[in-house]
Amino acid sequence: MNSVFSLTNKLNSISVQDKINYIALLVFFVAAVFSIGHYKGDEHYQILEFAQYKIGLIDAQQLPWEFDAKMRPSLQPWLVVGIVSLFKYFSLTNPFTITTFLRLITAFFSWLIIKNLNVVLIEKYFPEKKWAILFSCCTFFLWFVPFFSVRFSSENYSEIFLLTGIYFIIKGSRCLMHVIIIGLCLGLSVLFKAQIGLSVLGIFGWFLFYEKKNIKIMLPLIPVFISVILIGSYLDILFYEELTFTPYNFIKGNLDGGKASEFGTSPFYYYLLVFLMATIPPISIILPLFFFSALSNLKKHIIVWAILPYLLTLCFIAHKEVRFLLPLKYLITFLTVYGIANYFKEKKIKKYQLFFFKTALILNSIVMLYMSLKPANGTVLYQKYLYDHIDEANRTILTTDRDYYKITGELQTSFYRPKNISSFSITNDKEIVDFMFKKDITSCLYVHRGLSFSDSIPGYSFKKVYALYPDWITKVPFINASKIRTDCIYLVTKL
């Protein structure tokens, strides 16, 4: 009983902000474990597959077009090469263990910078406890934050280092070590994603116009920043094995060559629609008003100067994607919550407004829980099962339509492909027996395109061993099981 009282007292002594931080760390780690796979192809093919090439496991011909264009920075592939080598030293070669580790370490870095930056922003801009709690919760628990904060993607790491640089700037310390850290972080943010250089230019502009008294102190920042860019360029030269400058190649390929527009174009107001969809109704309709209000009230703030050049450029580039906005998600959240707090500074929150807030809170919590527990890519989840159980089927995989390790077009997901396997594809289910007989296959894992495989084939046993949906769902009257787009895995054995 005494131990229970002691634990209760300890919990009561923890501040609300610390409780939020601890819960957030747990949520981020849970999301990192469950978020198997990649959100967008760039997160996989331009990082993990690039690393596979450098390790010597695949040829350059198996890489996406960006490799020939030499437009992707090589820092992240080099990091993966190093981590894979380290894990191999300890006889850990499971690719899913490696990617889980990458997500866990990313989750920690994301959580750490959010937690620390929250401290300095809350102290200055959210003195009232209720707004401090709201801001802290939004930075950690908006439905999309845990999911995207664990991604080992260029967008996420560029945000981590951009925020770290801004954190040391806002703290106000101008000692040489902090100036060097600022230059290092801003440089790394650009190395991870060249486009974030627009935000860095905005920060340099802010120094020029509003930090004139400290301009001499901040001068060492520039050579540090340039040194980081030069080191990144050297890594690119080593990676591509020829003299190249990836930021220039990116601009040339996407703007002059118009390559990005081949993947679709959107109107200039696309990101406003994204903003409305990313926030939870019904309050999402008015949130942009608070964001624009904060832009106006804080027009001399470094965060505004970091956002505007990048955001405006995104709006006027024809090809738009949600992930392009991800490096700004924390900064946009700060401005939006600040706008809300500033609006209600001298206004009483009305009952209907509180009702809308509570409704949004419930909806957000449900969606956040779902996003934190779902795989980022369902196909990779199936590939994990194949990897873990490949020996049960004589290291043979059979699929319909196409090779199961081709998620995007003809690109191979070689990073998750087990070594020394035989992987075949057939046109339809009816070819299974003839194909297995001709190839003299006695056992294989068959990936069926659909909820279940109902045919019986004489001479072979079919045992369903993996599926995302339970079998009883086919018996629910109002569910048309044939319309459910999914796969299932069977262990096929010759009798």
Side-chain angles (χ1 to χ4, degrees):
M1 185 66 70
N2 290 333
S3 61
V4 174
F5 284 125
S6 177
L7 178 61
T8 303
N9 290 333
K10 286 181 179 179
L11 290 174
N12 290 334
S13 65
I14 300 174
S15 69
V16 174
Q17 288 297 332
D18 283 339
K19 288 177 182 176
I20 292 172
N21 291 337
Y22 296 145
I23 294 171
L25 182 60
L26 176 62
V27 171
F28 276 33
F29 277 3
V30 168
V33 171
F34 283 92
S35 192
I36 295 171
H38 53 274
Y39 166 63
K40 287 291 186 178
D42 297 54
E43 185 183 333
H44 178 89
Y45 293 103
Q46 281 77 37
I47 299 175
L48 300 181
E49 296 300 325
F50 272 35
Q52 286 283 87
Y53 160 75
K54 209 59 192 174
I55 293 170
L57 297 176
I58 60 174
D59 298 325
Q61 290 77 13
Q62 295 176 255
L63 296 175
W65 65 272
E66 287 94 339
F67 178 82
D68 288 332
K70 299 172 180 60
M71 59 184 292
R72 292 288 178 173
S74 62
L75 179 56
Q76 275 183 285
W78 278 121
L79 289 174
V80 174
V81 170
I83 290 170
V84 168
S85 301
L86 178 64
F87 271 60
K88 188 176 181 181
Y89 178 80
F90 292 101
S91 301
L92 298 171
T93 58
N94 188 312
F96 296 95
T97 301
I98 294 171
T99 51
T100 299
F101 171 78
L102 292 174
R103 291 193 302 273
L104 284 170
I105 199 70
T106 303
F108 176 74
F109 286 138
S110 295
W111 171 84
L112 185 64
I113 184 53
I114 291 174
K115 178 182 78 74
N116 289 334
L117 195 48
N118 280 355
V119 171
V120 295
L121 290 177
I122 285 172
E123 183 180 357
K124 188 170 184 180
Y125 298 100
F126 303 104
E128 284 191 66
K129 186 177 181 180
K130 62 181 179 183
W131 300 119
I133 293 173
L134 176 64
F135 172 65
S136 189
C137 286
C138 285
T139 58
F140 284 124
F141 303 127
L142 281 176
W143 66 267
F144 54 87
V145 170
F147 177 81
F148 286 119
S149 294
V150 305
R151 309 253 61 82
F152 188 73
S153 63
S154 60
E155 289 83 13
N156 201 25
Y157 271 88
S158 65
E159 182 189 33
I160 288 171
F161 284 100
L162 179 69
L163 294 183
T164 304
I166 290 174
Y167 165 75
F168 281 100
I169 294 171
I170 293 177
K171 277 196 73 174
S173 174
R174 296 295 181 259
C175 69
L176 180 61
M177 180 56 67
H178 282 184
V179 172
I180 291 174
I181 292 173
I182 293 168
L184 180 65
C185 289
L186 295 183
L188 286 171
S189 70
V190 175
L191 285 191
F192 280 105
K193 190 171 184 65
Q195 300 94 311
I196 211 70
L198 294 165
S199 290
V200 174
L201 283 176
I203 291 172
F204 285 152
W206 177 82
F207 274 118
L208 189 61
F209 286 100
Y210 299 113
E211 284 284 293
K212 292 179 181 178
K213 63 181 180 180
N214 291 318
I215 200 70
K216 289 183 179 180
I217 302 175
M218 299 304 297
L219 282 178
L221 183 157
I222 297 175
V224 173
F225 175 82
I226 294 174
S227 297
V228 173
I229 301 301
L230 291 176
I231 293 171
S233 298
Y234 176 68
L235 292 176
D236 293 342
I237 293 169
L238 289 179
F239 188 85
Y240 292 107
E241 298 179 356
E242 65 176 75
L243 187 64
T244 189
F245 189 56
T246 54
Y248 170 77
N249 296 338
F250 177 85
I251 295 172
K252 185 175 183 294
N254 281 319
L255 298 183
D256 293 347
K259 186 69 178 179
S261 297
E262 294 180 12
F263 297 95
T265 59
S266 303
F268 74 94
Y269 53 81
Y270 171 82
Y271 290 111
L272 177 59
L273 299 179
V274 170
F275 188 102
L276 293 172
M277 291 186 292
T279 48
I280 297 295
I283 63 172
S284 59
I285 299 172
I286 60 171
L287 287 181
L289 298 177
F290 295 122
F291 171 74
F292 290 118
S293 171
L295 280 179
S296 176
N297 292 331
L298 298 175
K299 53 182 173 291
K300 295 182 180 181
H301 197 282
I302 185 175
I303 288 180
V304 173
W305 280 71
I307 282 180
L308 281 183
Y310 184 83
L311 187 58
L312 290 174
T313 303
L314 286 186
C315 290
F316 288 100
I317 291 177
H319 178 63
K320 299 176 177 65
E321 294 184 35
V322 172
R323 65 186 177 90
F324 297 163
L325 208 57
L326 294 179
L328 301 182
K329 65 181 185 293
Y330 179 93
L331 302 181
I332 290 174
T333 300
F334 162 72
L335 289 176
T336 304
V337 177
Y338 174 82
I340 296 172
N342 192 55
Y343 176 81
F344 285 104
K345 187 184 297 183
E346 298 178 355
K347 293 182 177 67
K348 186 177 180 180
I349 300 176
K350 298 177 181 178
K351 287 185 177 181
Y352 78 89
Q353 293 170 332
L354 190 60
F355 170 77
F356 284 152
F357 171 76
K358 289 181 178 179
T359 302
L361 177 63
I362 294 170
L363 292 173
N364 179 84
S365 300
I366 294 170
V367 179
M368 186 202 71
L369 180 63
Y370 168 74
M371 291 294 293
S372 298
L373 296 176
K374 72 181 287 290
N377 189 292
T379 301
V380 176
L381 193 62
Y382 282 84
Q383 290 177 346
K384 183 179 186 304
Y385 183 90
L386 295 174
Y387 188 95
D388 293 338
H389 298 83
I390 191 65
D391 286 329
E392 299 173 14
N394 292 327
R395 305 191 71 79
T396 303
I397 298 171
L398 182 64
T399 58
T400 48
D401 297 333
R402 58 181 171 81
D403 190 312
Y404 206 64
Y405 290 91
K406 292 181 179 179
I407 296 178
T408 304
E410 292 301 310
L411 293 176
Q412 287 274 0
T413 55
S414 68
F415 192 82
Y416 298 123
R417 187 184 179 97
K419 292 182 176 63
N420 304 318
I421 68 163
S422 298
S423 181
F424 306 101
S425 62
I426 56 177
T427 305
N428 55 62
D429 300 334
K430 294 180 172 54
E431 296 182 10
I432 294 176
V433 173
D434 288 341
F435 186 87
M436 292 183 69
F437 178 78
K438 289 177 182 178
K439 293 286 185 180
D440 193 27
I441 299 172
T442 58
S443 180
C444 73
L445 286 170
Y446 170 56
V447 184
H448 173 68
R449 304 288 184 176
L451 187 62
S452 62
F453 178 74
S454 57
D455 295 342
S456 61
I457 300 177
Y460 289 86
S461 70
F462 281 73
K463 177 185 177 183
K464 184 186 283 191
V465 291
Y466 188 79
L468 290 182
Y469 297 94
D471 288 337
W472 57 259
I473 201 170
T474 61
K475 300 176 183 178
V476 179
F478 57 85
I479 294 179
N480 187 347
S482 63
K483 297 292 184 181
I484 297 177
R485 298 183 61 185
T486 187
D487 297 336
C488 57
I489 302 176
Y490 285 84
L491 176 62
V492 183
T493 307
K494 188 177 181 178
L495 299 175

